[in-house]
Amino acid sequence: MTEKLLQYLWNYKIFQHFDFRDTEGNPVEIIQFGKWNTNAGPDFLDAQIKTKGLLIAGNIELHVRTSDWIFHHHSEDPHYQNIILHVVFQHDAEIDDLINRNVPTLELKDHIDKNILWKHEKLVSGTQFIPCENIFDPEKVPVAFHEENILKKLDEKSQELEKSLELYKNNFEAVLFHSLAYSFGLKVNAHIFRQIAESIDFSIINKIRQNEAQLEALFFGIAGWLEEPEDGQMAIWKREFEFIRKKFSMTDLKFRPKFLRLRPPNFPTIRLSQLADLYYRHQNLFSKIIKAEHSDELYRVFSPVKASEYWDCHFNFGTISKVQPKTLSKDFIELVILNTVLPLKYTYHKYQHEEIADEILDFYRNISAEKNTITAGWKKTGMNSANALESQSLIYHYKNSCTEKNCLNCSIGFKLLKESSNV
């Protein structure tokens, strides 16, 4: 038993029976269990109990053992002067301060199904893929589980985007550019690509986006790759970069992307060239993304994008490779749509006070499910992913609940603990 589990059981009233009596044998009727307080102070506020013919209002404090009252020094804390009931799992001591104030102590040990304690122990001590793997049942997954997870994720991403919008004076196009750069950088270069994007005033992108060579030159120059040209094309890019830098009075900052542990198609040279091509092809990129009503429209935005002709026979500068156009793969496009485009669409319509949650969820339903170690782990538990709504939900839930063993705040964990029989 832990204090958090005890609070959880009290909050959700998960008891075998409710004929409560205090440690002296007096009946205690709980009129209001109180509001769970997650801040400092008593565990449950604004409670009401009836005992010895009196109706009493105040706060309730919970402990695993009665003696914890002493160890926590509550008698000396003014926040605990309005305690009307001390609830414990196990009564192991008499507390003079509580006796003198006529505060009853309620022991819950015989009111809690021991199977719940066994289940909780299994959840927090297991080393399986998910804590509840040994007792998990796909049938216990709540209705709208996936939808709720995705909306939570979107709200969290929206809060991050709103901070960026505040910083960039509600310039959605600039924030989209920064977010796309982050996605194109993948895990290894995400932060570096964002730094490159944020070092460029977006008005410059708008002024040169009709010239793909200048866009590439700008990105490659800030990446520090044009200082010593190795071939004629690099010399052209260097000349263009120096022209842009002087024309727009840009700083000489350099952010150097990494190549280590990357497959050649994901080299930063290729991804920055593709990002340049995206902005060259779509002069009204932000508008197309916002107006898209179906995932097919978003695919059409990204599917033609490819690195420039130089990269047909290069992965890095000056080194010839087999001729192969460097286009965006379907998996990469879906990654960008899921991680950048849909959160931004959600945030934009929220900013415009337009309800679009159902439409956004439909985008997820029409995108293929991801396949990775997390979705493979869920599959072994019986949870298959039919689409991105389900795979993204399971990935989000795994990272935010399962790995943290946050089972008491998990809708699945709640059902598994509450339905304590027949295990």
Side-chain angles (χ1 to χ4, degrees), residues 176-204:
L176 171 64
F177 174 54
H178 304 157
S179 300
L180 283 170
Y182 185 88
S183 284
F184 271 68
L186 298 171
K187 286 184 179 180
V188 173
N189 286 308
H191 292 287
I192 296 173
F193 273 31
R194 183 192 286 276
Q195 286 177 320
I196 289 173
E198 290 179 344
S199 72
I200 305 167
D201 190 311
F202 190 72
S203 64
I204 298 175

mmCIF file of all heavy atoms in Angstrom, residues 176-204:
data_model
loop_
_atom_site.group_PDB
_atom_site.id
_atom_site.type_symbol
_atom_site.label_atom_id
_atom_site.label_comp_id
_atom_site.label_asym_id
_atom_site.label_seq_id
_atom_site.Cartn_x
_atom_site.Cartn_y
_atom_site.Cartn_z
ATOM 1 N N LEU A 176 5.264 27.694 -38.629
ATOM 2 C CA LEU A 176 5.195 26.498 -39.483
ATOM 3 C C LEU A 176 6.578 26.177 -40.037
ATOM 4 O O LEU A 176 7.011 25.015 -40.026
ATOM 5 C CB LEU A 176 4.214 26.717 -40.632
ATOM 6 C CG LEU A 176 4.209 25.630 -41.718
ATOM 7 C CD1 LEU A 176 3.753 24.292 -41.147
ATOM 8 C CD2 LEU A 176 3.334 26.040 -42.899
ATOM 9 N N PHE A 177 7.277 27.181 -40.511
ATOM 10 C CA PHE A 177 8.626 26.991 -41.058
ATOM 11 C C PHE A 177 9.559 26.379 -40.017
ATOM 12 O O PHE A 177 10.281 25.411 -40.280
ATOM 13 C CB PHE A 177 9.159 28.324 -41.570
ATOM 14 C CG PHE A 177 10.585 28.295 -42.039
ATOM 15 C CD1 PHE A 177 10.999 27.384 -42.999
ATOM 16 C CD2 PHE A 177 11.515 29.202 -41.533
ATOM 17 C CE1 PHE A 177 12.321 27.363 -43.442
ATOM 18 C CE2 PHE A 177 12.824 29.185 -41.967
ATOM 19 C CZ PHE A 177 13.232 28.264 -42.920
ATOM 20 N N HIS A 178 9.526 26.919 -38.805
ATOM 21 C CA HIS A 178 10.377 26.392 -37.731
ATOM 22 C C HIS A 178 10.010 24.941 -37.408
ATOM 23 O O HIS A 178 10.891 24.099 -37.193
ATOM 24 C CB HIS A 178 10.225 27.247 -36.460
ATOM 25 C CG HIS A 178 10.517 28.695 -36.673
ATOM 26 N ND1 HIS A 178 10.021 29.680 -35.842
ATOM 27 C CD2 HIS A 178 11.253 29.335 -37.628
ATOM 28 C CE1 HIS A 178 10.435 30.855 -36.288
ATOM 29 N NE2 HIS A 178 11.176 30.673 -37.367
ATOM 30 N N SER A 179 8.715 24.663 -37.374
ATOM 31 C CA SER A 179 8.249 23.310 -37.031
ATOM 32 C C SER A 179 8.589 22.310 -38.127
ATOM 33 O O SER A 179 8.971 21.171 -37.847
ATOM 34 C CB SER A 179 6.734 23.325 -36.776
ATOM 35 O OG SER A 179 6.405 24.187 -35.706
ATOM 36 N N LEU A 180 8.439 22.724 -39.375
ATOM 37 C CA LEU A 180 8.801 21.836 -40.480
ATOM 38 C C LEU A 180 10.299 21.552 -40.477
ATOM 39 O O LEU A 180 10.736 20.413 -40.705
ATOM 40 C CB LEU A 180 8.391 22.468 -41.815
ATOM 41 C CG LEU A 180 6.897 22.404 -42.159
ATOM 42 C CD1 LEU A 180 6.598 23.260 -43.372
ATOM 43 C CD2 LEU A 180 6.462 20.953 -42.414
ATOM 44 N N ALA A 181 11.092 22.574 -40.214
ATOM 45 C CA ALA A 181 12.541 22.374 -40.144
ATOM 46 C C ALA A 181 12.876 21.357 -39.060
ATOM 47 O O ALA A 181 13.707 20.456 -39.260
ATOM 48 C CB ALA A 181 13.243 23.705 -39.867
ATOM 49 N N TYR A 182 12.224 21.474 -37.928
ATOM 50 C CA TYR A 182 12.444 20.532 -36.824
ATOM 51 C C TYR A 182 12.130 19.103 -37.278
ATOM 52 O O TYR A 182 12.897 18.167 -37.017
ATOM 53 C CB TYR A 182 11.562 20.925 -35.643
ATOM 54 C CG TYR A 182 11.773 20.102 -34.395
ATOM 55 C CD1 TYR A 182 12.746 20.462 -33.452
ATOM 56 C CD2 TYR A 182 11.005 18.977 -34.134
ATOM 57 C CE1 TYR A 182 12.939 19.718 -32.306
ATOM 58 C CE2 TYR A 182 11.194 18.215 -32.991
ATOM 59 C CZ TYR A 182 12.154 18.591 -32.078
ATOM 60 O OH TYR A 182 12.347 17.843 -30.941
ATOM 61 N N SER A 183 11.007 18.910 -37.969
ATOM 62 C CA SER A 183 10.626 17.577 -38.442
ATOM 63 C C SER A 183 11.597 17.050 -39.486
ATOM 64 O O SER A 183 11.969 15.873 -39.477
ATOM 65 C CB SER A 183 9.210 17.602 -39.019
ATOM 66 O OG SER A 183 8.245 17.656 -37.996
ATOM 67 N N PHE A 184 12.031 17.911 -40.398
ATOM 68 C CA PHE A 184 12.956 17.476 -41.446
ATOM 69 C C PHE A 184 14.307 17.083 -40.849
ATOM 70 O O PHE A 184 15.042 16.296 -41.444
ATOM 71 C CB PHE A 184 13.133 18.589 -42.486
ATOM 72 C CG PHE A 184 12.133 18.529 -43.608
ATOM 73 C CD1 PHE A 184 10.795 18.778 -43.371
ATOM 74 C CD2 PHE A 184 12.526 18.216 -44.906
ATOM 75 C CE1 PHE A 184 9.859 18.727 -44.395
ATOM 76 C CE2 PHE A 184 11.603 18.148 -45.943
ATOM 77 C CZ PHE A 184 10.256 18.405 -45.686
ATOM 78 N N GLY A 185 14.637 17.606 -39.694
ATOM 79 C CA GLY A 185 15.908 17.260 -39.060
ATOM 80 C C GLY A 185 15.908 15.911 -38.387
ATOM 81 O O GLY A 185 16.973 15.397 -38.024
ATOM 82 N N LEU A 186 14.715 15.321 -38.224
ATOM 83 C CA LEU A 186 14.580 14.046 -37.517
ATOM 84 C C LEU A 186 15.248 14.137 -36.134
ATOM 85 O O LEU A 186 15.561 15.218 -35.650
ATOM 86 C CB LEU A 186 15.148 12.906 -38.359
ATOM 87 C CG LEU A 186 14.418 12.683 -39.704
ATOM 88 C CD1 LEU A 186 15.192 11.688 -40.566
ATOM 89 C CD2 LEU A 186 12.997 12.198 -39.467
ATOM 90 N N LYS A 187 15.448 13.014 -35.480
ATOM 91 C CA LYS A 187 15.944 13.055 -34.092
ATOM 92 C C LYS A 187 17.331 13.669 -33.988
ATOM 93 O O LYS A 187 17.621 14.458 -33.092
ATOM 94 C CB LYS A 187 15.958 11.650 -33.499
ATOM 95 C CG LYS A 187 14.588 11.105 -33.154
ATOM 96 C CD LYS A 187 14.704 9.746 -32.484
ATOM 97 C CE LYS A 187 13.328 9.211 -32.117
ATOM 98 N NZ LYS A 187 13.405 7.877 -31.468
ATOM 99 N N VAL A 188 18.213 13.295 -34.916
ATOM 100 C CA VAL A 188 19.621 13.705 -34.803
ATOM 101 C C VAL A 188 19.790 15.207 -34.986
ATOM 102 O O VAL A 188 20.549 15.860 -34.258
ATOM 103 C CB VAL A 188 20.483 12.932 -35.819
ATOM 104 C CG1 VAL A 188 21.909 13.475 -35.841
ATOM 105 C CG2 VAL A 188 20.490 11.447 -35.472
ATOM 106 N N ASN A 189 19.076 15.781 -35.962
ATOM 107 C CA ASN A 189 19.308 17.191 -36.303
ATOM 108 C C ASN A 189 18.098 18.095 -36.066
ATOM 109 O O ASN A 189 18.112 19.256 -36.495
ATOM 110 C CB ASN A 189 19.730 17.293 -37.776
ATOM 111 C CG ASN A 189 21.165 16.825 -37.995
ATOM 112 O OD1 ASN A 189 22.079 17.282 -37.323
ATOM 113 N ND2 ASN A 189 21.342 15.883 -38.913
ATOM 114 N N ALA A 190 17.095 17.589 -35.393
ATOM 115 C CA ALA A 190 15.867 18.376 -35.202
ATOM 116 C C ALA A 190 16.156 19.745 -34.589
ATOM 117 O O ALA A 190 15.717 20.781 -35.110
ATOM 118 C CB ALA A 190 14.874 17.598 -34.337
ATOM 119 N N HIS A 191 16.882 19.767 -33.492
ATOM 120 C CA HIS A 191 17.132 21.044 -32.804
ATOM 121 C C HIS A 191 18.043 21.958 -33.635
ATOM 122 O O HIS A 191 17.850 23.185 -33.645
ATOM 123 C CB HIS A 191 17.739 20.784 -31.425
ATOM 124 C CG HIS A 191 16.793 20.125 -30.469
ATOM 125 N ND1 HIS A 191 15.726 20.798 -29.900
ATOM 126 C CD2 HIS A 191 16.727 18.848 -30.002
ATOM 127 C CE1 HIS A 191 15.048 19.969 -29.120
ATOM 128 N NE2 HIS A 191 15.640 18.788 -29.158
ATOM 129 N N ILE A 192 18.999 21.361 -34.335
ATOM 130 C CA ILE A 192 19.901 22.172 -35.161
ATOM 131 C C ILE A 192 19.133 22.771 -36.340
ATOM 132 O O ILE A 192 19.295 23.954 -36.666
ATOM 133 C CB ILE A 192 21.091 21.324 -35.645
ATOM 134 C CG1 ILE A 192 21.922 20.868 -34.438
ATOM 135 C CG2 ILE A 192 21.959 22.113 -36.622
ATOM 136 C CD1 ILE A 192 23.027 19.889 -34.783
ATOM 137 N N PHE A 193 18.282 21.982 -36.976
ATOM 138 C CA PHE A 193 17.475 22.491 -38.080
ATOM 139 C C PHE A 193 16.547 23.614 -37.606
ATOM 140 O O PHE A 193 16.331 24.595 -38.314
ATOM 141 C CB PHE A 193 16.646 21.360 -38.696
ATOM 142 C CG PHE A 193 17.374 20.585 -39.768
ATOM 143 C CD1 PHE A 193 18.746 20.415 -39.721
ATOM 144 C CD2 PHE A 193 16.680 20.002 -40.818
ATOM 145 C CE1 PHE A 193 19.422 19.689 -40.700
ATOM 146 C CE2 PHE A 193 17.329 19.284 -41.809
ATOM 147 C CZ PHE A 193 18.701 19.124 -41.749
ATOM 148 N N ARG A 194 15.996 23.453 -36.402
ATOM 149 C CA ARG A 194 15.140 24.525 -35.873
ATOM 150 C C ARG A 194 15.958 25.795 -35.652
ATOM 151 O O ARG A 194 15.503 26.909 -35.935
ATOM 152 C CB ARG A 194 14.459 24.107 -34.567
ATOM 153 C CG ARG A 194 13.495 25.174 -34.039
ATOM 154 C CD ARG A 194 13.058 24.866 -32.619
ATOM 155 N NE ARG A 194 12.119 23.787 -32.562
ATOM 156 C CZ ARG A 194 10.805 23.921 -32.751
ATOM 157 N NH1 ARG A 194 10.304 25.105 -33.057
ATOM 158 N NH2 ARG A 194 10.007 22.887 -32.646
ATOM 159 N N GLN A 195 17.175 25.645 -35.143
ATOM 160 C CA GLN A 195 18.036 26.811 -34.936
ATOM 161 C C GLN A 195 18.342 27.504 -36.264
ATOM 162 O O GLN A 195 18.356 28.738 -36.339
ATOM 163 C CB GLN A 195 19.337 26.377 -34.252
ATOM 164 C CG GLN A 195 19.174 26.032 -32.782
ATOM 165 C CD GLN A 195 20.472 25.536 -32.176
ATOM 166 O OE1 GLN A 195 21.227 24.777 -32.787
ATOM 167 N NE2 GLN A 195 20.764 25.987 -30.967
ATOM 168 N N ILE A 196 18.590 26.710 -37.303
ATOM 169 C CA ILE A 196 18.831 27.289 -38.629
ATOM 170 C C ILE A 196 17.616 28.086 -39.070
ATOM 171 O O ILE A 196 17.727 29.238 -39.520
ATOM 172 C CB ILE A 196 19.149 26.171 -39.651
ATOM 173 C CG1 ILE A 196 20.530 25.571 -39.367
ATOM 174 C CG2 ILE A 196 19.087 26.723 -41.084
ATOM 175 C CD1 ILE A 196 20.872 24.360 -40.216
ATOM 176 N N ALA A 197 16.421 27.484 -38.926
ATOM 177 C CA ALA A 197 15.188 28.153 -39.350
ATOM 178 C C ALA A 197 14.933 29.418 -38.541
ATOM 179 O O ALA A 197 14.547 30.459 -39.085
ATOM 180 C CB ALA A 197 14.004 27.193 -39.227
ATOM 181 N N GLU A 198 15.136 29.338 -37.232
ATOM 182 C CA GLU A 198 14.846 30.489 -36.377
ATOM 183 C C GLU A 198 15.864 31.610 -36.552
ATOM 184 O O GLU A 198 15.590 32.759 -36.180
ATOM 185 C CB GLU A 198 14.786 30.043 -34.912
ATOM 186 C CG GLU A 198 13.554 29.184 -34.604
ATOM 187 C CD GLU A 198 13.507 28.731 -33.159
ATOM 188 O OE1 GLU A 198 14.551 28.813 -32.466
ATOM 189 O OE2 GLU A 198 12.435 28.275 -32.718
ATOM 190 N N SER A 199 17.030 31.294 -37.115
ATOM 191 C CA SER A 199 18.038 32.337 -37.340
ATOM 192 C C SER A 199 17.718 33.170 -38.581
ATOM 193 O O SER A 199 18.365 34.175 -38.834
ATOM 194 C CB SER A 199 19.424 31.700 -37.486
ATOM 195 O OG SER A 199 19.543 31.014 -38.727
ATOM 196 N N ILE A 200 16.701 32.735 -39.342
ATOM 197 C CA ILE A 200 16.325 33.421 -40.578
ATOM 198 C C ILE A 200 15.002 34.153 -40.362
ATOM 199 O O ILE A 200 14.004 33.529 -39.987
ATOM 200 C CB ILE A 200 16.152 32.418 -41.743
ATOM 201 C CG1 ILE A 200 17.406 31.563 -41.919
ATOM 202 C CG2 ILE A 200 15.795 33.146 -43.033
ATOM 203 C CD1 ILE A 200 17.200 30.351 -42.837
ATOM 204 N N ASP A 201 14.981 35.436 -40.559
ATOM 205 C CA ASP A 201 13.713 36.165 -40.532
ATOM 206 C C ASP A 201 12.844 35.614 -41.660
ATOM 207 O O ASP A 201 13.276 35.553 -42.811
ATOM 208 C CB ASP A 201 13.973 37.661 -40.742
ATOM 209 C CG ASP A 201 12.720 38.498 -40.492
ATOM 210 O OD1 ASP A 201 11.662 38.142 -41.043
ATOM 211 O OD2 ASP A 201 12.817 39.492 -39.749
ATOM 212 N N PHE A 202 11.619 35.192 -41.328
ATOM 213 C CA PHE A 202 10.806 34.527 -42.338
ATOM 214 C C PHE A 202 10.507 35.418 -43.536
ATOM 215 O O PHE A 202 10.240 34.927 -44.632
ATOM 216 C CB PHE A 202 9.496 34.004 -41.739
ATOM 217 C CG PHE A 202 8.731 33.118 -42.677
ATOM 218 C CD1 PHE A 202 9.180 31.840 -42.963
ATOM 219 C CD2 PHE A 202 7.583 33.576 -43.311
ATOM 220 C CE1 PHE A 202 8.498 31.019 -43.861
ATOM 221 C CE2 PHE A 202 6.895 32.766 -44.206
ATOM 222 C CZ PHE A 202 7.354 31.485 -44.484
ATOM 223 N N SER A 203 10.584 36.726 -43.356
ATOM 224 C CA SER A 203 10.366 37.628 -44.497
ATOM 225 C C SER A 203 11.401 37.391 -45.590
ATOM 226 O O SER A 203 11.144 37.590 -46.780
ATOM 227 C CB SER A 203 10.403 39.087 -44.037
ATOM 228 O OG SER A 203 11.694 39.428 -43.547
ATOM 229 N N ILE A 204 12.599 36.932 -45.184
ATOM 230 C CA ILE A 204 13.642 36.626 -46.173
ATOM 231 C C ILE A 204 13.234 35.408 -47.003
ATOM 232 O O ILE A 204 13.420 35.386 -48.221
ATOM 233 C CB ILE A 204 14.993 36.387 -45.467
ATOM 234 C CG1 ILE A 204 15.440 37.648 -44.722
ATOM 235 C CG2 ILE A 204 16.059 35.942 -46.473
ATOM 236 C CD1 ILE A 204 16.695 37.468 -43.894
#
